[in-house]
Amino acid sequence: MSIEQHLQQLRDQLNHHNYQYYVLDDPEVPDAEYDRLFRELKKLESDNPELITEDSPTQRVGSTPLSAFSQVSHELPMLSLDNAFNDEDMEEFDRRIKDRLNMQETISYACEPKLDGIAVSLLYEQGLLVRGATRGDGSTGEDITQNVRTIPTIPLKLTGDNFPDRLEVRGEIYMPKAGFDALNDKARATGQKTFVNPRNAAAGSLRQLDSRITASRPLEMCSYSVGVVEGGALAGKHSEILAQLKEWGFRLNPLLESVEGVAGCLDYYRRISELRDTLPYEIDGVVFKVDQLELQQRLGFVSRAPRWAIAHKFPAQEELTSIRSIEFQVGRTGAVTPVARLEPVFVGGVTVSNATLHNMDEIERLDVRAGDTVVIRRAGDVIPQVVRVLHEKRPADTEAVIIPDACPICESKIERIEGEAVARCSGGLYCEAQRKEALKHFASRKAMDIDGLGDKLIEMLVDLDMVHNPADLYALQQTELARLERMGPKSAENLVNAIQASRNTELPRFLYALGIREVGEATARSLAMHFLDLPALIEASEEALLEVPDVGPIVAKHIKSFFQQSHNIEVLDALREKAGVSWSVLETKDEESQPISGETWVLTGKLEQMGRSEAKNYLLELGAKVAGSVSAKTDCVVAGPGAGSKLKKATELGIKTMDEDSFVSFLAEQGINI
């Protein structure tokens, strides 16, 4: 075999593996094997530089910096989309289409999430990438060819052999959430400016004159349409064209669907809206396009947008408002957290009047003060946060924020351990705020599950000096509770019964209820399964704790510190001996005897009868491994409402699937009742 043939063989192999990894999400070889092939190709090209081709997988590292971007005129304009903001807008969109087409039949629509990134145009000639351009104003963009060549999900050479001679592919370049977080973490560590959101990060990365910087950024692209097509035919439906693009090497969004009528569109919108906060990338709506190209052509365009497509936008997640004041709250673990009191603003579907500032490091990074105009972000159920300060609008009389020396609740000294960003009140259970939050956690559903013991009632019991620690809850009498505001005799009786019922619990729940720092549900279950009972855990050394899955050095120190404090042991003794809280001692399980020992399970979609973490714990208890993605090695996929690409892939691979009801029945057969 000649060197030229060997080089081409390596390139073909690597292009094939890139396609399997980036487009099909189904890698055939481990990373180590891919890296070996890549190194071999790079070495051969280094020894024979005259044989390097522009479409080689090695040519993604970036090249000599440009002095400026040149302009690109789009042969077919890259138009904007009209927006819909509610069901009525979508129904009107569907009605307009039917009226213009003079038809009453149900319209088929192609649907996809609207990625929050940067629209780009990629031009291929004879299957080779020759130009990449930004959308710009729709008519003229900037030539970013060197930069798009560095993005792994953009093919330098098309796969197959049935593509048009000249093909323009359009798509969205975006930065996944994990990559965005890592990029900002690195920027903070080196004292550089951070990006406000993933879209800004993607835009900034694409507009680098030095493409080597772009190459270092975690960018991806999904294709969503075509532009210029010459010397070849395309399918007759938009959804079928996208399938062709996938065959030619382009990544598509895994949540693409075709639906019938406006009812199908609205159902798709609601399903994607529920999934939004679980997706690994940002989206700001859903795009609907008439699927039949012949109908698209009949509908045509208005001056700036196609009549056959629309973007159904989600409620805004970012808005401008001003900060009235900055106060400090004390949490369950004593963390003293700065909170911004805001001029109320409607964002992410709700009215927001408070936002977290996390810690003093965040205040210093943002340089935020009372009186500032700020950008507030709210995503799903995440606590609203301040993401940017408009310093140019700052009033002249603002003052820098200073953390107090003493706890705002109990006046105990505030301490900040070197190396930690969080400052903490040293008052412990003496601090009323910590006491309240510790009791709320103890009574919560995933902990001791005391029905009827809500936050307001706990605050009242602490304020009236009726409860100082969790053990005091079990001494509460119906007569004294009945005298409280809004607590009649029946409510008091129900609460006492619920408190008494919680005495019979499970060790994992009890450990989670204690509120030990960094010990969540999964870690509590791991500790329980490892030590089997409380005395063994109390006596465990840090070395012994480190043998437990999910427990690292920091968590081990927190656990050991908790059990070394005499007042915690006093509360534990009171709970077990005076209050009568108890659980069955766990037995060591033979892994081979566990019902699904060694199997790999995947959870996807929204589980309605339990949380995903709760479901994961049940599977771990039964001996399974819980993976985040579906592969040929997966044994079963549990798919709740809204399940998308993982369920689709499991079906294609013939992997066993369960809906949530079947999963609950399966758990019941194993003795786990939800």
Side-chain angles (χ1 to χ4, degrees):
M1 182 186 299
S2 68
I3 291 177
E4 290 89 342
Q5 290 174 321
H6 188 33
L7 282 167
Q8 192 55 50
Q9 182 186 62
L10 288 170
R11 289 169 188 151
D12 290 343
Q13 284 181 282
L14 288 165
N15 284 330
H16 171 75
H17 292 314
N18 280 333
Y19 180 75
Q20 292 292 128
Y21 184 89
Y22 290 113
V23 179
L24 301 184
D25 193 25
D26 186 23
E28 292 181 343
V29 296
D31 290 348
E33 173 61 13
Y34 179 92
D35 293 341
R36 186 193 66 75
L37 292 170
F38 191 89
R39 287 194 301 270
E40 184 179 356
L41 174 60
K42 196 169 182 179
K43 175 68 166 58
L44 275 176
E45 289 183 340
S46 176
D47 294 341
N48 302 274
E50 73 281 0
L51 299 180
I52 296 175
T53 60
E54 288 191 353
D55 63 310
S56 172
T58 62
Q59 301 305 296
R60 292 190 184 273
V61 294
S63 54
T64 306
L66 302 171
S67 58
F69 292 113
S70 59
Q71 301 293 297
V72 172
S73 295
H74 297 298
E75 298 174 55
L76 289 178
M78 294 185 70
L79 300 177
S80 302
L81 294 177
D82 284 335
N83 293 324
F85 295 99
N86 52 46
D87 292 5
E88 291 74 20
D89 290 346
M90 283 300 302
E91 289 163 356
E92 177 62 18
F93 167 70
D94 185 64
R95 185 195 62 75
R96 287 197 307 269
I97 286 175
K98 288 182 176 179
D99 286 350
R100 183 166 288 274
L101 294 172
N102 192 28
M103 62 183 286
Q104 296 303 312
E105 293 87 351
T106 300
I107 304 291
S108 296
Y109 292 99
C111 325
E112 62 185 291
K114 186 176 181 297
L115 293 167
D116 196 10
I118 309 301
V120 295
S121 160
L122 306 173
L123 182 61
Y124 290 81
E125 294 180 351
Q126 304 304 320
L128 297 179
L129 175 64
V130 297
R131 191 189 69 204
T134 62
R135 177 183 175 276
D137 62 5
S139 298
T140 305
E142 292 180 318
D143 189 327
I144 55 169
T145 306
Q146 287 193 19
N147 291 346
V148 300
R149 290 177 62 84
T150 69
I151 300 172
T153 45
I154 293 178
L156 301 178
K157 179 182 180 181
L158 302 183
T159 59
D161 55 8
N162 61 338
F163 43 77
D165 296 336
R166 198 161 181 265
L167 173 68
E168 180 194 2
V169 177
R170 294 174 175 179
E172 197 87 359
I173 291 178
Y174 60 96
M175 186 175 290
K177 294 175 184 176
F180 170 74
D181 291 339
L183 182 64
N184 269 353
D185 288 344
K186 184 177 179 181
R188 291 189 192 100
T190 55
Q192 296 176 311
K193 184 179 178 181
T194 57
F195 289 99
V196 174
N197 54 47
R199 187 185 188 282
N200 285 5
S205 300
L206 274 183
R207 296 201 77 258
Q208 295 291 329
L209 293 172
D210 187 345
S211 59
R212 291 170 296 186
I213 297 176
T214 308
S216 70
R217 303 282 174 82
L219 297 173
E220 297 182 0
M221 191 194 89
C222 279
S223 302
Y224 57 66
S225 70
V226 296
V228 174
V229 178
E230 297 176 1
L234 295 179
K237 290 184 178 181
H238 175 77
S239 56
E240 293 172 349
I241 291 174
L242 293 181
Q244 287 180 303
L245 291 180
K246 185 174 182 179
E247 291 178 2
W248 296 332
F250 294 94
R251 170 184 278 185
L252 306 181
N253 190 287
L255 297 175
L256 291 168
E257 283 187 28
S258 295
V259 301
E260 297 299 314
V262 68
C265 292
L266 294 175
D267 174 67
Y268 180 83
Y269 174 85
R270 294 186 181 102
R271 285 188 282 119
I272 297 299
S273 181
E274 289 180 358
L275 287 175
R276 181 185 188 184
D277 298 319
T278 68
L279 297 176
Y281 43 79
E282 296 279 5
I283 61 174
D284 58 2
V286 169
V287 174
F288 298 107
K289 299 174 183 176
V290 173
D291 203 11
Q292 289 279 0
L293 262 59
E294 186 267 332
L295 297 183
Q296 289 186 11
Q297 292 163 359
R298 285 171 56 188
L299 288 163
F301 303 82
V302 291
S303 59
R304 58 175 291 278
R307 290 192 178 97
W308 41 264
I310 198 165
H312 192 173
K313 301 296 285 292
F314 292 135
Q317 290 189 300
E318 291 187 351
E319 285 290 353
L320 281 180
T321 189
S322 59
I323 296 180
R324 290 177 170 177
S325 63
I326 295 176
E327 301 174 3
F328 289 87
Q329 290 184 339
V330 182
R332 173 173 58 85
T333 62
V336 179
T337 305
V339 176
R341 305 300 183 193
L342 309 170
E343 199 64 44
V345 61
F346 191 77
V347 57
V350 299
T351 298
V352 170
S353 56
N354 302 307
T356 181
L357 289 166
H358 300 293
N359 51 52
M360 286 303 297
D361 285 353
E362 184 72 356
I363 286 181
E364 292 167 7
R365 184 184 72 80
L366 290 168
D367 183 21
V368 62
R369 304 179 183 185
D372 278 340
T373 298
V374 296
V375 176
I376 298 296
R377 179 172 178 79
R378 180 184 182 273
D381 295 327
V382 177
I383 298 171
Q385 58 182 320
V386 176
V387 295
R388 184 156 54 95
V389 179
L390 277 61
H391 293 110
E392 64 274 16
K393 294 191 175 185
R394 171 173 288 170
D397 58 349
T398 61
E399 296 181 357
V401 179
I402 300 174
I403 192 168
D405 294 326
C407 173
I409 306 300
C410 71
E411 298 186 352
S412 296
K413 183 181 178 182
I414 289 178
E415 299 175 334
R416 186 173 178 182
I417 299 172
E418 186 177 351
E420 285 194 7
V422 178
R424 298 183 188 277
C425 165
S426 60
L429 288 179
Y430 169 74
C431 177
E432 189 176 290
Q434 293 184 61
R435 199 182 317 155
K436 288 178 180 178
E437 295 307 315
L439 288 165
K440 291 174 186 177
H441 177 77
F442 184 84
S444 63
R445 184 178 65 84
K446 295 180 180 180
M448 299 300 284
D449 194 18
I450 303 178
D451 189 34
L453 189 56
D455 292 356
K456 296 292 185 184
L457 181 54
I458 286 174
E459 290 175 5
M460 187 187 304
L461 291 171
V462 174
D463 290 341
L464 294 173
D465 211 29
M466 294 172 66
V467 174
H468 298 88
N469 62 59
D472 293 340
L473 293 171
Y474 294 89
L476 291 172
Q477 300 296 314
Q478 181 179 335
T479 51
E480 60 181 344
L481 288 171
R483 291 195 293 268
L484 298 177
E485 184 180 351
R486 300 179 183 176
M487 270 298 289
K490 186 60 178 176
S491 296
E493 180 185 358
N494 290 340
L495 177 57
V496 168
N497 289 339
I499 292 171
Q500 300 310 317
S502 73
R503 285 175 169 168
N504 298 315
T505 186
E506 300 167 355
L507 181 56
R509 277 184 175 273
F510 183 76
L511 293 178
Y512 174 66
L514 295 178
I516 303 170
R517 283 182 63 189
E518 307 291 345
V519 176
E521 292 175 83
T523 303
R525 181 170 293 277
S526 295
L527 289 167
M529 299 304 296
H530 186 86
F531 291 103
L532 305 180
D533 203 2
L534 186 61
L537 174 58
I538 292 174
E539 297 299 325
S541 64
E542 286 188 31
E543 290 74 17
L545 290 167
L546 288 171
E547 295 176 6
V548 180
D550 301 332
V551 174
I554 293 175
V555 178
K557 286 183 183 298
H558 289 324
I559 296 169
K560 193 62 184 173
S561 174
F562 180 89
F563 291 120
Q564 284 178 336
Q565 296 179 45
S566 59
H567 63 267
N568 287 336
I569 297 299
E570 289 172 7
V571 172
L572 289 173
D573 289 343
L575 282 167
R576 301 183 72 192
E577 296 170 11
K578 294 181 181 179
V581 175
S582 63
W583 52 84
S584 298
V585 176
L586 299 173
E587 297 180 0
T588 304
K589 293 186 177 180
D590 179 3
E591 287 189 6
E592 294 184 0
S593 68
Q594 290 178 276
I596 51 177
S597 177
E599 293 187 11
T600 300
W601 287 51
V602 171
L603 300 164
T604 184
K606 183 178 180 181
L607 300 182
E608 296 175 335
Q609 300 179 54
M610 69 191 87
R612 290 269 284 272
S613 60
E614 192 176 356
K616 178 180 178 180
N617 286 337
Y618 291 141
L619 289 171
L620 292 173
E621 186 177 338
L622 295 172
K625 300 174 184 176
V626 181
S629 60
V630 176
S631 71
K633 296 180 180 179
T634 303
D635 293 285
C636 185
V637 173
V638 178
S645 58
K646 292 178 184 177
L647 176 59
K648 182 180 178 181
K649 186 171 182 179
T651 303
E652 292 172 350
L653 293 174
I655 292 168
K656 177 183 176 183
T657 63
M658 291 185 184
D659 61 18
E660 187 172 7
D661 288 339
S662 300
F663 180 55
V664 170
S665 299
F666 167 77
L667 292 177
E669 291 171 2
Q670 315 306 320
I672 299 175
N673 295 309
I674 307 304

Coordinates of all heavy atoms in Angstrom, one line a residue, residues 281-330:
Y281 N -28.2 21.7 26.4 CA -28.0 23.0 25.7 C -29.2 23.9 25.9 O -30.3 23.5 26.4 CB -27.8 22.7 24.2 CG -28.8 21.7 23.7 CD1 -30.2 22.1 23.4 CD2 -28.5 20.4 23.5 CE1 -31.1 21.2 22.9 CE2 -29.4 19.4 23.0 CZ -30.7 19.8 22.7 OH -31.7 18.9 22.3
E282 N -29.0 25.2 25.6 CA -30.0 26.2 25.8 C -30.9 26.2 24.6 O -30.5 26.2 23.5 CB -29.4 27.6 26.0 CG -28.6 27.7 27.3 CD -29.4 27.9 28.6 OE1 -30.7 27.9 28.4 OE2 -28.8 28.1 29.6
I283 N -32.3 26.3 24.8 CA -33.2 26.6 23.8 C -34.1 27.7 24.2 O -34.3 27.9 25.4 CB -34.0 25.3 23.4 CG1 -34.9 24.8 24.6 CG2 -33.2 24.2 22.9 CD1 -35.8 23.7 24.3
D284 N -34.7 28.5 23.3 CA -35.6 29.5 23.7 C -36.9 29.4 23.0 O -37.7 30.4 23.0 CB -34.9 30.9 23.4 CG -34.6 31.1 21.9 OD1 -34.8 30.2 21.1 OD2 -34.0 32.2 21.6
G285 N -37.2 28.3 22.5 CA -38.5 28.1 21.9 C -38.5 26.8 21.0 O -37.6 26.0 21.1
V286 N -39.5 26.8 20.1 CA -39.7 25.6 19.2 C -39.9 26.2 17.8 O -40.7 27.2 17.7 CB -40.8 24.7 19.6 CG1 -41.1 23.7 18.5 CG2 -40.5 24.0 20.9
V287 N -39.4 25.6 16.7 CA -39.6 26.1 15.4 C -40.5 25.1 14.7 O -40.3 23.8 14.7 CB -38.3 26.2 14.6 CG1 -38.5 26.5 13.1 CG2 -37.4 27.3 15.2
F288 N -41.5 25.6 14.0 CA -42.5 24.8 13.2 C -42.4 25.2 11.8 O -42.4 26.4 11.4 CB -43.9 24.9 13.7 CG -44.1 24.5 15.1 CD1 -44.3 25.4 16.1 CD2 -44.1 23.1 15.5 CE1 -44.5 25.0 17.5 CE2 -44.3 22.7 16.8 CZ -44.5 23.7 17.8
K289 N -42.3 24.2 10.9 CA -42.2 24.5 9.4 C -43.2 23.6 8.7 O -43.3 22.4 9.0 CB -40.8 24.2 8.9 CG -39.7 25.1 9.5 CD -38.3 24.7 9.1 CE -37.2 25.5 9.8 NZ -35.9 25.1 9.4
V290 N -43.9 24.1 7.7 CA -44.7 23.3 6.9 C -43.8 22.3 6.2 O -42.8 22.6 5.6 CB -45.4 24.1 5.8 CG1 -46.2 23.2 4.8 CG2 -46.4 25.1 6.5
D291 N -44.2 21.0 6.3 CA -43.2 19.9 5.9 C -43.1 19.8 4.4 O -42.0 19.6 3.9 CB -43.6 18.6 6.6 CG -42.5 17.6 6.7 OD1 -41.3 18.0 6.4 OD2 -42.7 16.4 7.0
Q292 N -44.2 19.9 3.7 CA -44.2 19.7 2.2 C -43.6 20.9 1.5 O -44.0 22.0 1.7 CB -45.7 19.5 1.7 CG -46.3 18.2 2.1 CD -45.9 17.1 1.2 OE1 -45.1 17.3 0.3 NE2 -46.4 15.9 1.5
L293 N -42.5 20.6 0.8 CA -41.8 21.7 0.1 C -42.7 22.4 -1.0 O -42.6 23.6 -1.2 CB -40.5 21.2 -0.6 CG -39.2 21.4 0.2 CD1 -39.3 20.8 1.5 CD2 -38.0 20.9 -0.6
E294 N -43.6 21.6 -1.6 CA -44.4 22.2 -2.6 C -45.4 23.2 -2.0 O -45.6 24.3 -2.6 CB -45.3 21.0 -3.3 CG -46.1 21.5 -4.4 CD -47.6 21.8 -4.0 OE1 -48.0 21.2 -3.0 OE2 -48.2 22.6 -4.7
L295 N -45.8 22.9 -0.7 CA -46.7 23.9 0.0 C -45.9 25.1 0.4 O -46.4 26.3 0.3 CB -47.3 23.2 1.2 CG -48.3 22.1 0.9 CD1 -49.0 21.6 2.2 CD2 -49.4 22.5 -0.1
Q296 N -44.6 24.9 0.8 CA -43.7 26.0 1.1 C -43.6 27.0 0.0 O -43.7 28.2 0.1 CB -42.3 25.5 1.6 CG -42.3 24.8 2.9 CD -40.8 24.5 3.3 OE1 -39.9 24.9 2.7 NE2 -40.7 23.7 4.3
Q297 N -43.4 26.4 -1.2 CA -43.2 27.2 -2.4 C -44.5 28.0 -2.7 O -44.4 29.2 -3.2 CB -42.8 26.4 -3.6 CG -41.4 25.8 -3.4 CD -41.1 24.6 -4.3 OE1 -42.0 24.2 -5.1 NE2 -39.9 24.0 -4.3
R298 N -45.6 27.4 -2.5 CA -46.9 28.1 -2.8 C -47.1 29.2 -1.8 O -47.7 30.3 -2.1 CB -48.0 27.1 -2.8 CG -48.1 26.2 -4.0 CD -49.1 25.1 -3.8 NE -50.5 25.7 -3.5 CZ -51.5 24.9 -3.1 NH1 -51.3 23.6 -3.0 NH2 -52.7 25.4 -2.8
L299 N -46.7 29.0 -0.6 CA -46.9 30.0 0.5 C -45.9 31.2 0.3 O -46.3 32.4 0.6 CB -46.7 29.4 1.9 CG -47.8 28.5 2.3 CD1 -47.3 27.6 3.5 CD2 -49.0 29.3 2.7
G300 N -44.7 31.0 -0.1 CA -43.7 32.0 -0.3 C -43.2 32.8 0.9 O -43.3 32.2 2.0
F301 N -42.9 34.0 0.7 CA -42.2 34.8 1.8 C -42.9 36.2 1.9 O -43.5 36.7 0.9 CB -40.7 35.1 1.5 CG -40.0 33.8 1.3 CD1 -40.0 33.1 0.0 CD2 -39.2 33.3 2.3 CE1 -39.2 32.0 -0.1 CE2 -38.5 32.1 2.1 CZ -38.5 31.5 0.9
V302 N -42.8 36.8 3.0 CA -43.0 38.2 3.2 C -41.6 38.9 3.1 O -40.6 38.2 2.9 CB -43.7 38.6 4.5 CG1 -45.2 38.1 4.4 CG2 -43.0 38.0 5.7
S303 N -41.5 40.1 3.4 CA -40.2 40.8 3.2 C -39.1 40.2 4.0 O -37.9 40.2 3.6 CB -40.3 42.3 3.5 OG -40.8 42.5 4.8
R304 N -39.3 39.8 5.2 CA -38.2 39.4 6.1 C -38.4 37.9 6.6 O -37.5 37.4 7.3 CB -38.1 40.3 7.3 CG -39.4 40.4 8.1 CD -39.2 41.2 9.4 NE -38.3 40.6 10.3 CZ -38.7 39.6 11.2 NH1 -40.0 39.2 11.2 NH2 -37.9 39.1 12.1
A305 N -39.4 37.2 6.3 CA -39.6 35.9 6.9 C -40.5 35.0 6.0 O -41.3 35.5 5.2 CB -40.4 36.0 8.2
P306 N -40.3 33.7 6.0 CA -41.1 32.8 5.3 C -42.5 32.7 5.9 O -42.6 32.8 7.1 CB -40.4 31.4 5.4 CG -39.6 31.6 6.6 CD -39.2 33.0 6.8
R307 N -43.5 32.6 5.0 CA -44.9 32.4 5.5 C -45.1 31.0 6.1 O -46.1 30.8 6.9 CB -45.9 32.7 4.4 CG -46.0 34.1 3.9 CD -47.2 34.3 3.1 NE -47.3 35.7 2.6 CZ -46.9 36.1 1.4 NH1 -46.3 35.3 0.6 NH2 -47.1 37.4 1.1
W308 N -44.2 30.1 5.8 CA -44.5 28.7 6.1 C -43.8 28.2 7.4 O -43.7 27.0 7.7 CB -44.1 27.8 5.0 CG -42.8 28.2 4.3 CD1 -42.7 29.0 3.2 CD2 -41.5 27.9 4.7 NE1 -41.4 29.1 2.8 CE2 -40.6 28.5 3.7 CE3 -40.9 27.1 5.7 CZ2 -39.2 28.4 3.8 CZ3 -39.5 27.0 5.8 CH2 -38.7 27.6 4.9
A309 N -43.2 29.1 8.1 CA -42.4 28.8 9.3 C -42.7 29.8 10.4 O -43.0 31.0 10.2 CB -40.9 28.7 9.1
I310 N -42.6 29.3 11.7 CA -42.8 30.2 12.8 C -42.0 29.7 14.0 O -41.7 28.5 14.1 CB -44.3 30.4 13.2 CG1 -44.5 31.6 14.0 CG2 -44.8 29.1 13.8 CD1 -46.0 32.0 14.1
A311 N -41.5 30.6 14.9 CA -40.9 30.2 16.1 C -41.8 30.5 17.3 O -42.2 31.6 17.5 CB -39.6 31.0 16.3
H312 N -42.2 29.4 18.0 CA -43.1 29.5 19.2 C -42.1 29.7 20.4 O -41.5 28.8 20.8 CB -43.9 28.3 19.3 CG -45.0 28.5 20.3 ND1 -46.0 27.5 20.5 CD2 -45.3 29.4 21.2 CE1 -46.8 27.9 21.4 NE2 -46.4 29.1 21.9
K313 N -42.0 30.9 20.9 CA -41.0 31.3 21.9 C -41.5 30.9 23.3 O -42.7 30.9 23.6 CB -40.7 32.8 21.8 CG -40.2 33.3 20.5 CD -38.9 32.7 20.1 CE -37.7 33.3 20.9 NZ -37.5 34.7 20.6
F314 N -40.5 30.5 24.1 CA -40.7 30.3 25.5 C -40.8 31.6 26.3 O -40.2 32.6 25.7 CB -39.6 29.4 26.1 CG -39.6 28.0 25.6 CD1 -38.4 27.4 25.3 CD2 -40.8 27.3 25.5 CE1 -38.4 26.1 24.8 CE2 -40.8 26.0 25.1 CZ -39.6 25.4 24.7
P315 N -41.3 31.7 27.5 CA -41.3 32.9 28.2 C -39.8 33.3 28.5 O -38.9 32.5 28.6 CB -41.9 32.6 29.6 CG -42.8 31.4 29.2 CD -42.1 30.7 28.1
A316 N -39.5 34.6 28.4 CA -38.2 35.1 28.6 C -37.6 34.6 29.9 O -38.2 34.6 30.9 CB -38.1 36.6 28.5
Q317 N -36.3 34.2 29.8 CA -35.6 33.8 31.0 C -34.7 34.8 31.6 O -34.1 34.7 32.7 CB -34.8 32.5 30.7 CG -35.7 31.3 30.5 CD -34.9 30.0 30.4 OE1 -34.0 29.9 29.5 NE2 -35.1 29.1 31.2
E318 N -34.5 35.9 30.9 CA -33.7 37.0 31.3 C -34.4 38.4 31.2 O -35.1 38.6 30.2 CB -32.3 37.1 30.6 CG -31.4 36.0 30.8 CD -30.0 36.1 30.2 OE1 -29.8 37.1 29.4 OE2 -29.1 35.3 30.5
E319 N -34.3 39.2 32.2 CA -35.0 40.5 32.2 C -34.1 41.5 32.9 O -33.3 41.1 33.8 CB -36.4 40.5 32.8 CG -37.4 39.8 31.9 CD -37.8 40.6 30.6 OE1 -37.3 41.8 30.5 OE2 -38.5 40.1 29.8
L320 N -34.4 42.8 32.7 CA -33.7 43.9 33.4 C -34.6 44.3 34.6 O -35.8 44.4 34.5 CB -33.5 45.1 32.5 CG -32.3 45.1 31.5 CD1 -32.3 46.4 30.7 CD2 -31.0 44.9 32.2
T321 N -33.9 44.6 35.7 CA -34.6 45.2 36.8 C -33.5 45.9 37.7 O -32.4 45.9 37.3 CB -35.4 44.1 37.7 OG1 -36.2 44.8 38.6 CG2 -34.4 43.2 38.4
S322 N -33.9 46.4 38.8 CA -33.0 47.1 39.7 C -33.0 46.5 41.1 O -34.0 45.8 41.5 CB -33.3 48.6 39.8 OG -34.6 48.8 40.3
I323 N -31.9 46.6 41.8 CA -31.7 46.0 43.1 C -32.1 47.1 44.2 O -31.6 48.2 44.2 CB -30.3 45.6 43.4 CG1 -29.9 44.4 42.4 CG2 -30.1 45.1 44.8 CD1 -28.5 43.9 42.6
R324 N -33.1 46.7 45.0 CA -33.5 47.6 46.1 C -32.5 47.6 47.2 O -32.2 48.6 47.8 CB -34.9 47.2 46.6 CG -36.1 47.5 45.6 CD -37.4 47.0 46.2 NE -38.5 47.4 45.4 CZ -39.8 47.1 45.7 NH1 -40.0 46.2 46.7 NH2 -40.8 47.5 45.0
S325 N -32.2 46.4 47.6 CA -31.2 46.2 48.7 C -30.5 44.9 48.6 O -31.0 44.0 47.9 CB -31.9 46.3 50.1 OG -32.9 45.3 50.2
I326 N -29.4 44.7 49.4 CA -28.8 43.4 49.5 C -28.7 43.0 50.9 O -28.2 43.7 51.8 CB -27.3 43.5 48.9 CG1 -27.4 43.8 47.4 CG2 -26.6 42.2 49.1 CD1 -26.1 43.9 46.7
E327 N -29.3 41.9 51.2 CA -29.4 41.4 52.6 C -28.7 40.0 52.7 O -28.3 39.4 51.7 CB -30.8 41.2 53.0 CG -31.6 42.5 53.0 CD -33.1 42.3 53.2 OE1 -33.5 41.2 53.6 OE2 -33.8 43.3 53.2
F328 N -28.5 39.6 53.9 CA -27.8 38.3 54.2 C -28.7 37.3 54.9 O -29.3 37.6 55.9 CB -26.5 38.5 55.0 CG -25.4 39.2 54.2 CD1 -25.3 40.5 54.1 CD2 -24.5 38.4 53.5 CE1 -24.4 41.2 53.4 CE2 -23.5 39.0 52.7 CZ -23.4 40.4 52.7
Q329 N -28.9 36.1 54.3 CA -29.7 35.0 54.9 C -28.8 33.9 55.4 O -27.7 33.7 55.0 CB -30.6 34.4 53.8 CG -31.7 35.4 53.4 CD -32.7 34.7 52.4 OE1 -32.3 33.7 51.8 NE2 -33.9 35.2 52.3
V330 N -29.3 33.2 56.4 CA -28.6 32.1 57.1 C -29.3 30.8 56.8 O -30.5 30.7 57.1 CB -28.4 32.3 58.6 CG1 -27.6 31.2 59.2 CG2 -27.8 33.7 58.9

